[in-house]
Amino acid sequence: MVDFLNLKSVNAQYAEQLKQACARVIDSGWYLQGDELSCFEQAFASYCGSKHAIGVANGLDALTLVLRAWIELGWLQEGDEVIVPANTYIASVLAITENRLTPVFVEPDPITFNLSPKNVSALITARSKAIMAVHLYGQLAPMPELVALAKQHMLLVLEDSAQAHGAALDGKKAGAWGDASGFSFYPGKNLGALGDGGAITTNNDELAEVLMALRNYGSHTKYLNKYKGMNSRLDEIQAAMLSVKLAHIDTEIAARRWVANYYRQSITNPLVTLPSCKDETSHVWHLFVVCSEYREQLQVHLAERGIQSLIHYPTPPHQQAAYLEFNHLSFPMTESIHQQVLSLPMGPTMTEVEVGAVVDAVNAFVI
């Protein structure tokens, strides 16, 4: 059996360091908003090339809190439009609607499945106030073009970097391109906690100050609440374990790239379309997503050969029951993507035998 992602083997590499980190926190007697969080925030900000990193409870909260902070600062108002990829995971959209902002869905680039600057430009109106650039599957969106477009129209840029820890373009990493960025440390991410977690990066001092209060009940000082905040804090144990894993992230990214290159060089089945990678450093291969008009049959075929695969994602946000108000919309490219994508096993501990088994199984697929 080839697992889609073997988290047990991923974390086993650092088992002793992780146990020591947990023990250190337990022995300290301090479990929230302490030194472990501060150390991780500083290290993660430095890694991303940003001035600030603010640890929060999860990736959705990271995005939600940035938008909320922009409202508190008067940079956004309820009802403002936020341009977002139609083919993203629903969390991107939930962050927008939670703040009573208006998502404007845009069709992706048909090659990379990331934002198309041309398509974004066509949807900018007087109500447009922000662009949410999702680095889908681990590949950076075309940030130079998007940032230039945003500056031209005085729009804010929020990176959804949940899948792109360490991805870089022109030497600049995910989390350093936009006005702010939201990261997820869900266990299966390239930088994964052993529980939930998230972070926000930004170079803006004023924004960082508001965010540090908003994540902590709207308070900078205990029992004095400046904002109607929320409880969204990255705890000390998760911060300590993330510090351990951050030290190894570049090695794991290199391993993921090795798997991806093996797949891209060896999968030759004409019934399967391989993902596009425009720049080696811009993709960290959180997911290796192929397309096939025969996805269901391919997934059954792989399962019969002991290969686990997943679908990211079967239903786009505008077709979800949670968003009945958008169910009438039609996005043909997005809908085609969601009907054809299939994620093959991808992880930093995959062996050459396992990768070869996946390749052989995919190449053996026939209709």
Side-chain angles (χ1 to χ4, degrees), residues 1 11 63 96 118 196 199 256 275 282 329 349 351 365 367:
M1 176 72 180
N11 291 316
L63 298 175
I96 297 169
K118 179 181 177 182
D196 234 331
R256 287 176 176 273
S282 71
L329 299 176
T349 59
T351 66
F365 176 62
I367 290 295

Side-chain angles (χ1 to χ4, degrees), residues 124-145:
I124 294 174
T125 70
R127 294 182 60 201
S128 302
K129 300 300 177 182
I131 299 170
M132 186 180 291
V134 180
H135 306 315
L136 197 64
Y137 308 148
Q139 181 166 210
L140 278 182
M143 295 310 297
E145 295 91 339

Side-chain angles (χ1 to χ4, degrees), residues 2 8 26 32-33 61 89 111 140 157 177 210 219 229 235 241 244 288 296 306 309 316 333 339 341 354 365:
V2 180
K8 185 175 180 179
I26 292 168
L32 287 171
Q33 304 285 81
D61 282 3
Y89 181 55
I111 304 299
L140 278 182
V157 176
W177 283 94
V210 174
S219 172
D235 66 68
M241 291 191 288
V244 170
F288 190 92
E296 283 69 28
S309 61
M333 173 62 67
Q339 290 163 7
V341 291
E354 289 175 323
F365 176 62

